[in-house]
Amino acid sequence: MTEYIIGVDIGGTNVRVGLVDEQLHLIKKKSTSITCFSTATELFQSIKADINELLPDKPPHRIGMVLPAPWNNESETIEDATNVPFLNGCKITEIKDYFSDAQLYFENDVNVIALLESKFGGAKGSHNSLYMTISTGIGSGIIANDFIVHGAKGYAGEIGSIPISHWNAELQKIEFSSLEALCSGKTLDHYAKTILHLKDVEELFKLYHLENEKVKKFMELWLEYLSAGLAASIQILDPDVVILGGGVITHNPWLVERLESKTKKKVFDRIAQNLVFKVTQYNEDAGLIGAANICLEA
């Protein structure tokens, strides 16, 4: 008899709950905008209700939950959940109380996709890989010798916090901002809607392909900043494969070739020579499948 696993993906845009079998096939799912919640209590009560709807006959034995925050197995509270700030300070024991009938497994949201890519996706066969997501925020997952690298406090892979220097023309001086502040999907959305008064980011990319000078200048700078952050990580980690994902990439896969070209010019030639860049093989359901996978890995 097939045993089903519940995968929960808490993201900066949506909260997804899915029913997954032991072969990692997603059977069905529910999705709710994160803006529907203002407290952790509201969020976890909603997740519990979704689980009951997806699996009404009996409670699940295993739940994998991915968090938009640093994580390792010693974590006792959620901290620095930048894109879901009401989770900060939430105790892991309190979360477990909502799902007391199941064994609950936690992991960082980007790490689970990095592991999926390493085992089943574009980095399969490579023992050392880097997965980077460019979406609401920017993050990465590091696989070294086939295992997720968490770091002492769970912050390994927080590539979005890398400081990037840039020239402030108005103040006539060099300033430092985080990679996420300069290059995230939020930044693209802000530039498109607030600066250019466009409908969305899709229109921004259309203007880029039409050789709009203002947009082209902005996007070239955006690519420079993003490749600088990526190069810094590659220079330190020396991966075999770099997988790029997240909404910005999956909707614009042509960006991977541009980033590869710019990034390889910023690292040692020997590193660049055999380094492979790929687009993620997983779609928006990767977090759900990855959440289920950590249950099977345990």
Side-chain angles (χ1 to χ4, degrees):
M1 184 176 179
T2 300
E3 181 183 344
Y4 293 107
I5 303 165
I6 292 292
V8 179
D9 179 12
I10 303 172
T13 304
N14 294 300
V15 179
R16 298 183 176 92
V17 182
L19 186 67
V20 183
D21 67 19
E22 291 180 304
Q23 288 71 49
L24 296 179
H25 299 131
L26 179 62
I27 309 303
K28 53 184 175 179
K29 65 179 179 179
K30 292 182 66 64
S31 180
T32 309
S33 172
I34 194 69
T35 58
C36 293
F37 312 107
S38 57
T39 67
T41 299
E42 292 175 354
L43 172 64
F44 292 114
Q45 285 178 343
S46 175
I47 290 171
K48 186 172 183 178
D50 286 346
I51 291 173
N52 291 337
E53 186 173 333
L54 291 171
L55 201 60
D57 296 332
K58 61 177 181 178
H61 293 302
R62 293 177 288 182
I63 299 173
M65 184 174 293
V66 299
L67 304 168
W71 171 264
N72 67 16
N73 289 331
E74 284 72 49
S75 300
E76 296 181 351
T77 60
I78 297 176
E79 303 292 348
D80 293 315
T82 308
N83 293 311
V84 191
F86 63 75
L87 285 178
N88 287 324
C90 187
K91 296 182 184 302
I92 298 303
T93 53
E94 292 175 353
I95 300 174
K96 289 182 176 180
D97 286 342
Y98 287 97
F99 313 98
S100 55
D101 292 330
Q103 182 66 46
L104 197 56
Y105 300 90
F106 296 94
E107 186 52 87
N108 169 266
D109 53 356
V110 186
N111 285 347
V112 298
I113 304 176
L115 188 61
L116 275 183
E117 289 286 358
S118 176
K119 289 178 67 69
F120 310 110
K124 184 178 179 180
S126 166
H127 302 296
N128 302 281
S129 58
L130 174 67
Y131 172 79
M132 179 180 178
T133 177
I134 306 138
S135 190
T136 306
I138 291 179
S140 72
I142 304 163
I143 302 297
N145 298 320
D146 298 319
F147 290 96
I148 295 170
V149 176
H150 291 98
K153 298 178 178 65
Y155 284 78
E158 289 294 321
I159 190 174
S161 298
I162 289 178
I164 302 292
S165 63
H166 59 99
W167 178 250
N168 187 318
E170 184 179 346
L171 299 178
Q172 291 291 294
K173 68 175 185 177
I174 293 175
E175 292 187 336
F176 289 87
S177 297
S178 71
L179 183 64
E180 184 166 289
L182 292 170
C183 298
S184 69
K186 276 186 178 179
T187 300
L188 291 174
D189 188 70
H190 173 79
Y191 184 78
K193 294 178 179 177
T194 306
I195 307 300
L196 298 183
H197 306 292
L198 301 175
K199 179 184 177 182
D200 51 29
V201 175
E202 184 178 348
E203 286 193 16
L204 179 72
F205 284 116
K206 284 181 181 178
L207 288 175
Y208 176 75
H209 290 302
L210 291 171
E211 301 280 330
N212 178 284
E213 284 301 319
K214 187 174 182 179
V215 173
K216 189 175 179 180
K217 184 178 179 181
F218 169 79
M219 285 304 303
E220 287 302 317
L221 200 56
W222 183 85
L223 285 164
E224 278 298 320
Y225 293 148
L226 193 54
S227 62
L230 193 50
S233 298
I234 290 169
Q235 194 70 48
I236 294 169
L237 300 169
D238 188 19
D240 301 308
V241 182
V242 174
I243 307 291
L244 298 177
V248 174
I249 295 296
T250 55
H251 288 96
N252 304 279
W254 56 270
L255 284 169
V256 173
E257 186 177 344
R258 297 295 314 280
L259 281 168
E260 178 178 3
S261 175
K262 287 182 175 292
T263 301
K264 284 186 172 181
K265 294 174 182 177
K266 295 178 173 69
V267 300
F268 284 135
D269 289 342
R270 192 175 177 195
I271 292 177
Q273 188 175 9
N274 297 312
L275 185 61
V276 178
F277 280 67
K278 295 182 180 180
V279 181
T280 181
Q281 293 188 13
Y282 291 91
N283 58 21
E284 64 180 16
D285 296 325
L288 291 176
I289 298 169
N293 183 52
I294 61 172
C295 296
L296 298 176
E297 292 280 327

